[in-house]
Amino acid sequence: MNTSPSPATHLPQGVRSAFAQVGDVWTHYLEAAPDNVSENTATVLLIHSGEFGARAEFSWRYNISELGKHFRVVAPDLVGFGRTDLVYSFTDPAGFRRGHLRRFVETLGLGPVHLMGNSYGGGLALQITATGALGVPVRSVVVVSGGGSAPDNDARKVLTRYNGTREEMREILQVLFYNEHWWSNEILEERWQASREPGVWEACAVPRLAPEGQDRGFRPSRSDYDKIHCPVLIVAGAEDLLRPPTYTEELQRQITGSSVQIFDRSRHCSHIEHPDRLNQLAIDFYKKY
């Protein structure tokens, strides 16, 4: 459990860092909204990725401010990540995270939402949409390299076998990002130090201890995507090492009416590598619904 965590720093203009008591979980989140926000302003819920050291601040630093000019945007640190309490459920890891997210929505009094999720967060966004687990209507979803097929290849082993060294974190960034800027020493240092904060590594590594055959919580189990009835935009990087070449085709077939955007010169985090294009795509997409 986190001990008196401090607010996030180095945030874009107009983004605030806040905490809420969500059931038994002290929960950190980021929020941005237009100056003229009202009860009719649409809400976008951002769900971050699941690599070691992951948190809302890292996933959405280049998106939340721009999206916040048009919508109320809320981006929690999922339970077990970032500045939220670093706890884990062995009996039902996926259900525990879903339940926390649902209670977070209830605590903040959020109504119908648009979702955006990356990687683990993208799979979680599709899962809660298919099952109705969020407890409020989902108007639309933007999923960035999440859900669908995710082979247990050498690139994924770089993420799951991280043991806390600086060079291992560099290898993680090289898997996630196409351009070497994103594994520069400055970014590497920030990510590495975040993964070494007390309890962070343990909370992310604990699924390794789950009994064989149990959902290990690193990726949400795939629900029946044919139960998704809202618009879905699938975003993928052309150079993604963590998804098979057929990822977008397969996922689009499984989600009726979904659309696809491929980002060249991008791997697993197109929203970070190409934020201007992604932000405009998402804004235009959400405003339709």
Side-chain angles (χ1 to χ4, degrees), residues 218-262:
F218 185 78
R219 289 174 284 168
S221 58
R222 194 180 80 188
S223 300
D224 293 331
Y225 291 153
D226 59 2
K227 295 180 180 178
I228 296 176
H229 302 299
C230 69
V232 175
L233 173 62
I234 302 164
V235 175
E239 316 296 335
D240 196 341
L241 303 177
L242 296 168
R243 291 291 186 271
T246 57
Y247 158 70
T248 55
E249 298 172 10
E250 293 174 358
L251 190 56
Q252 189 176 23
R253 281 197 301 268
Q254 294 166 15
I255 304 176
T256 302
S258 58
S259 55
V260 171
Q261 288 285 336
I262 305 294

Side-chain angles (χ1 to χ4, degrees), residues 116-119 122 142-146 233 235-236 247 268-271 278:
M116 183 185 297
N118 170 231
S119 190
V142 176
V143 56
V144 184
S145 296
L233 173 62
V235 175
Y247 158 70
H268 202 60
C269 302
S270 299
H271 63 300
L278 187 284

